Amino acid sequence: MPSFSPSKFTSVFLVSVILSFSLTTVAENRTTNIGVIIDERTRAGKEQKTAIEIAVQKLNSGSKDHKLAIYFTNSSGDPLETASSANELIEKQKVRVIIDTNSWEETTVVAKVGERARVPVISSTTAALQPLSHLQWPFLVQMTDLDISNEINCIVSLIKAYNWKRIIAIYEDNVYGGEYEGFSILSEALQKIDSIIEHRVVVPHFTSPFDPKETIRDDLATVLTTKQSRVFIVLKSSLSTATRVFEEANKLGLTGRDSVWILGNGFSSILDSIDPLVFRPVEGALGIKTYYSDKNPRFLEFRSTFKAIFKSNYPEEDKSEPCIYAIRAYDSVETVWRALDHLGNLNDTDSGFQEKLLDTILSNNFSGLTNTIAFKDGKLSEPQVLQLVNIVGKSYKELAFWSPGSGFSNTSLKQLSIIWPGDLINRIPKGWVMPNNVKKMKIGVPDSTSFQRFVKVEWIESTNETKYSGFCIAVFRAVVATLEEQYGYTLPYEFINHTGSYDDLIDKVYYKTYDAVVGDVTILANRSKYVEFTQPFTESGLSMVVPVRTDPQRAWKFMRPFTIEMWLASGGILFYTMFVVWFMEHQVNREFRGRWMDQLGTALWFTFSSLFFSHRENIRSNHSKVVVMIWLFVVFILTSSYTASLTTMLTVRMLEPTVQDIELVRRENAPVGCDPDSFVGKYLRDVLNLKNIKNITSQDEYPENFKNGNIVAAFLELPYQKYFLKEYCNKYMAIGPSYKFGGLGFVFPKDSPITDDVSGAILSLLEEGRIINMENQWLDTSQNCSSSDSGVESERLSLDNFWGIFVISGATSTLSLLLFLYRLLHNKIEQRIISYHGSQWNNNNESRFRRAIRLVMIMLSLNPSRVQPRENLDSSQEWNHQNPPQWELVSPTEVPEHLEIGRPTQLEIPMRKIEHTMTI
């Protein structure tokens, strides 16, 4: 520990007291609360907190109008906890601005919280921002114009200059896992210069509860023994994680001659403030760091104050120089202070204050510690520059500068004087070596499968060797050839036949007995927990296969086109239409009168004959004509559909399944068959609730078991089902739904470096159509199944297909009937009024509206006692079955001539004149 003089200690103590006092004092006029989310466990977090405290102390001491009150909350690296902290700052501390100094994952969730609360969020983190990112996070203010793509473009320019072709990418995993966006950007950028990422080392997040050294050691050992590339790019890493990577790489000899280490901006930007022992293992590495001028007077003053306070607050730290993160934190506070100063006396509780504060922050334009602070689209408008440095000894030396628009300032990078890892000076490292241990991968292959066209393992006595063949084996061999052709390396392997279930194969990979599995293995979620699958090379699913029988000629075949519900609905609409037509025509049409039996027969005959458009009865009522018109349209549709469906059933030979659906199998507990070594048996029991399950070990046993009645159905995966139906053409068919799965794929251990390359090779083979050709070669049979003989019975016509026209017909009939009844009742009432008032009612010059009003008024004032009732019919009068009695009502459109009073009326009136007397 260095010694302090009494005067220096006193000055530091006074500064700390003044700073502490200033942070807890509330201004007399106005105080604005600012929340800061920081990770004080890291070196960058400690520097940021110190810089913010210095900024608040200085700005508060120089302002009489308003003060800043800072509320710190510590981040744990968890985005959810960070979001909770942001909510707490807004709700409890009433902060008006949040300064977030953590990772981009945490910044995005804080930005969402700030957007909901209308609180600006200022961040200095970098990410792969898109041009419209300021619209996605409108309350986010970026204290930098750099994003990940700038950093990666700088790295790619460096790789292109030295013509390195294979890269090892190292980055820290996200706190919740998932792909790091910088990796995909780097991969795409490298493809443009004909370079590839041979392998990636994903190290656990620094918040992981376990020690990541073992994981890092295993990944780097894989690189040492199986990979050629020795160009390592540390894209994203915390200081603690990067330190472990350097230590393990140095132990394995990956930091020696012909190795290249490129450190990203996240690590290189703190080179000024970290212990030199941290990067000693990677001495000679190249670093990409954000450039800033250290000659600015304001920066020199800040650095002097910062070093004194930082050393006092964190005596355990060896160096007290500020890095770029501390500078951005200071500028963030000053940005907020200047915006508040510009708003003047505007109270932070006023409506719209947050929006005005955000607009004012974004309209700032002042000189910060190192450059101009001005914003465009939510980030700094002035382009920032990256600097290429070379780590040498306990420090680094500057080599060149890179800007987004111009690239490297020194276009001839090969002429730079660089000390490479392993003290290599005279030549540029080639960046690759042959692997230390090239050993064959042990690949497990199932030796007993139900369908040997997929995987077949047989012993050849003449050559004393095992032969592996089948569709899956052919695909894997094509993948290996593609890896050598497109990825530039050979994958040595040897097949090992495995006796046991597929789950046992998965366990062998998990426990490192096998390096991979090649076969007809279905991708399942439960298996993916323990191993890693490649992209599927063929689809997968599960369906029920049953024998078929030719449809017998049944006596009731003519009933098949319609379902029971359809027949009932058709009969119902027919009889309803019959009733409506009879009721309306009975009033005016003699053909619909007579005895009740005659009327019923006429109505039935008319309705049924209309089905064949052979009805002869005349329709007089306009209401009936509308109903019949719609009914004939319904009849046309029904008869056409019925004729087409019945014709198809009678002329095309149909194959009918012996079992209609899985519900019948489940209800009767019928026996079903499946492959004993696959997952199907467990799926049938646990998911489909089938109990009576028989194990069928070979495809040849299925027909025999069907014939003997041992099983009524078989459950086959989709690839097997296609082959089985082709092999036994028109003898079996698939019934019921297909239960989808992930497809057939190859199996590798978790985080295997080969998985991605194999998946890429499979996609290439699929896109080129080569896998389809192999499928046709191995799975096609000599059978030629005619489509006319393998069809399934046409779907029966149900009520779902016709309920629309039924509704239209029923609604039309009902509406016509209601209108008819209304006119009938209306005319009956009017005739009674006419019989009372006589010819005074018929005023031809009076409008219908006024007549209707007068009709209502007369009805309300009418005294029933003043109107004589109808004459009683003579009890001896006989009913004439051919002609209706005199009081029968007729259609509103047909008024008998002897009842016309004045001009002919359009309303219905009684057939018999009602005598009345008038009381004077």
Side-chain angles (χ1 to χ4, degrees):
M1 294 292 293
S3 60
F4 286 90
S5 63
S7 59
K8 185 174 182 179
F9 180 82
T10 302
S11 63
V12 172
F13 177 78
L14 291 176
V15 171
S16 300
V17 171
I18 294 172
L19 177 60
S20 176
F21 178 78
S22 63
L23 291 176
T24 56
T25 303
V26 178
E28 297 179 0
N29 295 333
R30 180 162 56 92
T31 299
T32 302
N33 296 337
I34 299 178
V36 180
I37 303 176
I38 202 167
D39 189 356
E40 202 172 355
R41 297 172 300 176
T42 65
R43 167 72 190 213
K46 296 174 183 178
E47 292 190 22
Q48 289 163 340
K49 182 177 181 180
T50 302
I52 291 173
E53 290 174 343
I54 293 174
V56 171
Q57 187 273 334
K58 181 177 180 179
L59 296 174
N60 280 347
S61 63
S63 175
K64 297 181 180 180
D65 299 330
H66 63 269
K67 304 292 183 182
L68 300 179
I70 300 295
Y71 294 91
F72 288 99
T73 180
N74 198 32
S75 168
S76 62
D78 189 330
L80 294 180
E81 294 186 12
T82 303
S84 177
S85 299
N87 273 318
E88 185 175 353
L89 286 171
I90 294 172
E91 296 175 359
K92 294 185 178 180
Q93 306 301 339
K94 307 299 181 183
V95 299
R96 300 306 178 187
V97 179
I98 293 179
I99 298 176
D100 181 56
T101 64
N102 299 288
S103 65
W104 177 246
E105 291 81 9
E106 295 175 80
T107 298
T108 54
V109 296
V110 174
K112 283 295 183 183
V113 173
E115 180 183 353
R116 288 196 297 267
R118 321 301 290 177
V119 172
V121 176
I122 300 178
S123 174
S124 58
T125 58
T126 60
L129 297 177
Q130 302 300 322
L132 300 180
S133 293
H134 65 285
L135 300 178
Q136 185 176 1
W137 298 288
F139 276 76
L140 178 62
V141 180
Q142 287 287 102
M143 289 300 296
T144 177
D145 76 320
L146 289 173
D147 59 29
I148 294 176
S149 60
N150 297 130
E151 177 186 348
I152 289 177
N153 288 335
C154 178
I155 295 174
V156 171
S157 298
L158 183 63
I159 293 172
K160 182 180 180 181
Y162 291 102
N163 200 30
W164 292 315
K165 293 299 183 181
R166 300 187 182 187
I167 311 300
I168 304 295
I170 302 175
Y171 60 89
E172 193 173 65
D173 195 11
N174 296 331
V175 65
Y176 290 127
E179 185 61 78
Y180 170 54
E181 56 185 343
F183 176 79
S184 58
I185 297 174
L186 176 62
S187 178
E188 182 178 353
L190 288 174
Q191 290 177 6
K192 297 178 181 179
I193 62 172
D194 296 327
S195 296
I196 62 171
I197 298 178
E198 184 181 16
H199 183 62
R200 56 178 173 179
V201 177
V202 183
V203 297
H205 194 263
F206 72 94
T207 59
S208 299
F210 58 89
D211 188 356
K213 281 188 177 182
E214 183 177 351
T215 302
I216 296 172
R217 185 185 305 114
D218 291 342
D219 285 342
L220 293 178
T222 301
V223 174
L224 179 67
T225 57
T226 65
K227 301 301 177 183
Q228 296 180 358
S229 176
R230 292 297 181 266
V231 179
F232 300 89
I233 300 177
V234 182
L235 284 174
K236 168 194 171 186
S237 177
S238 61
L239 177 60
S240 59
T241 303
T243 302
R244 293 186 177 94
V245 171
F246 299 155
E247 291 175 352
E248 296 301 325
N250 189 48
K251 292 178 181 178
L252 294 173
L254 295 175
T255 58
R257 299 171 68 88
D258 285 327
S259 294
V260 179
W261 284 80
I262 301 175
L263 310 180
N265 184 45
F267 180 82
S268 300
S269 292
I270 58 175
L271 290 176
D272 294 309
S273 56
I274 62 176
D275 185 0
L277 294 177
V278 172
F279 48 81
R280 182 178 295 277
V282 286
E283 185 175 355
L286 298 177
I288 308 295
K289 67 187 294 288
T290 303
Y291 170 76
Y292 59 90
S293 175
D294 56 359
K295 307 301 182 182
N296 189 330
R298 290 193 62 200
F299 173 76
L300 295 175
E301 179 185 355
F302 164 76
R303 183 170 67 177
S304 176
T305 306
F306 178 89
K307 293 175 68 175
I309 297 179
F310 188 84
K311 192 63 178 179
S312 175
N313 292 341
Y314 305 102
E316 71 278 3
E317 295 290 340
D318 295 322
K319 297 181 68 174
S320 57
E321 287 286 341
C323 69
I324 186 63
Y325 300 112
I327 297 172
R328 288 173 178 168
Y330 184 98
D331 286 342
S332 298
V333 176
E334 186 172 358
T335 299
V336 177
W337 182 85
R338 287 180 178 271
L340 292 171
D341 186 63
H342 182 77
L343 291 176
N345 295 327
L346 184 65
N347 198 304
D348 59 4
T349 59
D350 294 342
S351 176
F353 173 80
Q354 301 298 112
E355 288 77 7
K356 293 179 181 178
L357 177 59
L358 175 64
D359 294 338
T360 308
I361 289 175
L362 294 175
S363 62
N364 264 312
N365 191 341
F366 67 94
S367 296
L369 289 182
T370 60
N371 55 8
T372 301
I373 304 298
F375 298 94
K376 180 181 180 181
D377 294 336
K379 61 181 181 180
L380 289 184
S381 58
E382 182 173 339
Q384 299 187 31
V385 178
L386 293 175
Q387 187 177 24
L388 178 64
V389 298
N390 183 207
I391 298 176
V392 179
K394 295 183 178 180
S395 184
Y396 61 85
K397 65 177 182 178
E398 300 174 354
L399 298 175
F401 298 96
W402 183 92
S403 60
S406 306
F408 278 106
S409 57
N410 191 332
T411 57
S412 180
L413 295 179
K414 291 185 178 181
Q415 302 301 323
L416 295 176
S417 177
I418 301 176
I419 299 178
W420 299 100
D423 295 328
L424 185 62
I425 301 175
N426 297 327
R427 67 177 177 87
I428 299 172
K430 61 181 181 179
W432 66 271
V433 296
M434 289 301 296
N436 294 348
N437 182 19
V438 181
K439 62 179 181 179
K440 293 183 178 181
M441 296 179 59
K442 296 180 179 180
I443 299 179
V445 178
D447 64 354
S448 178
T449 60
S450 298
F451 292 81
Q452 295 187 353
R453 287 294 186 100
F454 288 85
V455 178
K456 184 177 181 180
V457 180
E458 55 182 338
W459 174 257
I460 308 299
E461 295 184 359
S462 59
T463 59
N464 197 27
E465 63 180 5
T466 304
K467 181 181 178 181
Y468 300 90
S469 61
F471 170 64
C472 299
I473 302 298
V475 171
F476 181 75
R477 286 171 175 161
V479 166
V480 173
T482 304
L483 290 177
E484 186 172 359
E485 177 184 349
Q486 297 184 1
Y487 292 84
Y489 66 89
T490 301
L491 185 66
Y493 66 90
E494 61 177 345
F495 288 136
I496 301 175
N497 54 308
H498 172 81
T499 303
S501 67
Y502 286 81
D503 288 337
D504 291 338
L505 269 173
I506 300 299
D507 292 339
K508 294 289 186 180
V509 176
Y510 179 75
Y511 291 111
K512 309 297 183 181
T513 303
Y514 296 147
D515 298 317
V517 170
V518 170
D520 49 345
V521 182
T522 304
I523 301 173
L524 301 175
N526 185 55
R527 293 173 177 176
S528 298
K529 296 178 181 178
Y530 307 100
V531 296
E532 191 168 353
F533 285 92
T534 64
Q535 287 283 340
F537 54 86
T538 186
E539 61 181 335
S540 178
L542 183 67
S543 61
M544 184 172 67
V545 175
V546 298
V548 298
R549 59 168 177 252
T550 303
D551 188 23
Q553 298 296 327
R554 293 179 293 184
W556 297 97
K557 186 72 174 181
F558 70 91
M559 297 291 292
R560 296 289 295 172
F562 286 167
T563 61
I564 296 177
E565 294 80 4
M566 184 65 185
W567 282 114
L568 294 176
S570 300
I573 197 68
L574 184 146
F575 284 105
Y576 181 66
T577 304
M578 178 194 71
F579 167 76
V580 172
V581 172
W582 168 82
F583 183 83
M584 292 188 293
E585 287 299 311
H586 176 70
Q587 310 296 325
V588 296
N589 196 336
R590 293 182 179 275
E591 296 183 18
F592 286 84
R593 295 175 184 169
R595 295 179 304 173
W596 286 110
M597 293 299 297
D598 294 339
Q599 294 183 48
L600 179 61
T602 300
L604 287 173
W605 171 253
F606 172 80
T607 307
F608 278 101
S609 61
S610 65
L611 294 175
F612 308 98
F613 304 98
S614 60
H615 51 283
R616 298 181 180 276
E617 290 78 7
N618 294 321
I619 302 299
R620 295 191 177 185
S621 173
N622 290 334
H623 298 84
S624 300
K625 291 177 181 179
V626 173
V627 173
V628 172
M629 179 181 64
I630 299 298
W631 168 246
L632 293 178
F633 177 70
V634 174
V635 168
F636 173 75
I637 294 177
L638 292 180
T639 54
S640 300
S641 302
Y642 176 86
T643 302
S645 180
L646 183 60
T647 301
T648 302
M649 292 182 178
L650 295 177
T651 57
V652 179
R653 186 171 73 89
M654 294 298 174
L655 300 179
E656 184 178 6
T658 56
V659 178
Q660 296 295 333
D661 54 39
I662 193 174
E663 291 298 331
L664 179 63
V665 176
R666 185 183 296 114
R667 184 169 56 252
E668 297 182 357
N669 194 27
V672 298
C674 69
D675 184 357
D677 295 329
S678 69
F679 70 98
V680 177
K682 185 175 185 300
Y683 186 85
L684 296 180
R685 287 188 294 270
D686 298 344
V687 179
L688 301 183
N689 297 321
L690 299 179
K691 307 301 180 184
N692 196 355
I693 302 173
K694 307 291 185 181
N695 292 330
I696 310 297
T697 58
S698 173
Q699 72 177 65
D700 298 329
E701 296 181 10
Y702 284 102
E704 182 179 355
N705 280 272
F706 275 124
K707 183 178 180 180
N708 297 335
N710 294 335
I711 59 174
V712 299
F715 284 85
L716 302 178
E717 294 184 66
L718 189 57
Y720 311 143
Q721 171 211 303
K722 290 182 178 179
Y723 172 73
F724 186 81
L725 295 182
K726 290 180 181 179
E727 181 73 16
Y728 302 96
C729 185
N730 294 337
K731 296 180 180 179
Y732 302 93
M733 66 189 312
I735 292 298
S738 178
Y739 307 95
K740 297 296 183 180
F741 299 99
L744 302 184
F746 302 133
V747 182
F748 290 90
K750 278 287 187 181
D751 300 326
S752 171
I754 305 175
T755 309
D756 292 338
D757 293 346
V758 174
S759 295
I762 291 174
L763 293 177
S764 297
L765 294 173
L766 287 171
E767 293 170 2
E768 295 170 4
R770 295 170 60 184
I771 290 184
I772 296 297
N773 295 335
M774 287 183 281
E775 186 174 348
N776 294 334
Q777 176 185 353
W778 285 97
L779 303 183
D780 265 1
T781 64
S782 59
Q783 296 283 355
N784 183 17
C785 299
S786 174
S787 59
S788 62
D789 292 339
S790 59
V792 181
E793 181 177 352
S794 300
E795 182 182 1
R796 300 176 67 186
L797 300 176
S798 65
L799 185 59
D800 294 336
N801 305 113
F802 298 96
W803 68 267
I805 60 172
F806 286 167
V807 170
I808 294 174
S809 178
T812 303
S813 300
T814 303
L815 182 61
S816 298
L817 180 61
L818 292 176
L819 290 175
F820 184 86
L821 291 175
Y822 167 75
R823 297 291 297 273
L824 200 65
L825 181 62
H826 180 274
N827 289 343
K828 182 177 180 181
I829 295 175
E830 187 179 48
Q831 186 58 34
R832 286 181 177 271
I833 300 303
I834 292 174
S835 66
Y836 179 76
H837 287 278
S839 60
Q840 297 178 0
W841 170 254
N842 282 330
N843 185 2
N844 294 334
N845 296 325
E846 187 176 22
S847 65
R848 292 185 178 183
F849 176 74
R850 295 183 61 84
R851 177 178 295 186
I853 295 178
R854 189 153 60 92
L855 174 63
V856 174
M857 295 178 63
I858 291 174
M859 287 298 299
L860 294 176
S861 61
L862 186 64
N863 187 355
S865 63
R866 299 174 60 186
V867 180
Q868 292 183 358
R870 295 171 178 263
E871 294 181 357
N872 295 328
L873 294 174
D874 188 356
S875 59
S876 63
Q877 184 179 1
E878 295 182 358
W879 175 271
N880 188 339
H881 295 287
Q882 301 297 327
N883 297 315
Q886 290 287 326
W887 43 266
E888 278 289 344
L889 300 178
V890 298
S891 170
T893 59
E894 297 183 5
V895 182
E897 295 180 357
H898 69 280
L899 290 179
E900 293 184 357
I901 302 177
R903 67 178 180 86
T905 178
Q906 296 291 330
L907 305 176
E908 294 184 6
I909 57 178
M911 293 289 294
R912 180 179 179 182
K913 181 178 179 181
I914 303 176
E915 297 182 358
H916 61 277
T917 59
M918 298 183 62
T919 304
I920 301 177

